[in-house]
Amino acid sequence: MGEKFGGDFLVYPGDPLKFHSHYTAVCVDGDKPLTPQYLISKGRLGTNVKKIVLLCSVNPEGTVSYQQLQWIG
């Protein structure tokens, strides 16, 4: 569902029938470093679709980690 907005998923603050999504979630490999070009492209894309980008990964212990990426300027 999030492909249209440059991510893997959309994240809503409540019932999707009543709210617009605030975030687009992008699943990334926690073992691989993210390049500056990747971060810039996701940041720009998030700005263009008016959403905050959540970078989501699973660490070796099995815990899910989230980082917010928001272009401000």
Side-chain angles (χ1 to χ4, degrees), residues 2-10 24-26 38 42 45-46 49 53:
E3 304 93 17
K4 190 172 169 181
F5 296 96
D8 297 306
F9 301 97
L10 294 176
T24 181
V26 179
Y38 182 83
K42 290 300 178 183
L45 186 63
V49 296
V53 177

Side-chain angles (χ1 to χ4, degrees), residues 36 39-44 46-47 51-52 69-73:
L39 294 173
I40 289 168
S41 69
K42 290 300 178 183
R44 286 182 176 171
T47 299
K51 308 227 180 290
I52 298 169
L69 180 62
Q70 187 174 10
W71 225 246
I72 299 174

Side-chain angles (χ1 to χ4, degrees), residues 15-56:
D15 184 349
L17 296 176
K18 296 180 182 178
F19 296 95
H20 289 285
S21 62
H22 288 187
Y23 302 91
T24 181
V26 179
C27 300
V28 296
D29 186 349
D31 294 334
K32 295 183 182 176
L34 301 175
T35 65
Q37 293 86 357
Y38 182 83
L39 294 173
I40 289 168
S41 69
K42 290 300 178 183
R44 286 182 176 171
L45 186 63
T47 299
N48 287 339
V49 296
K50 297 182 179 151
K51 308 227 180 290
I52 298 169
V53 177
L54 286 179
L55 301 174
C56 311

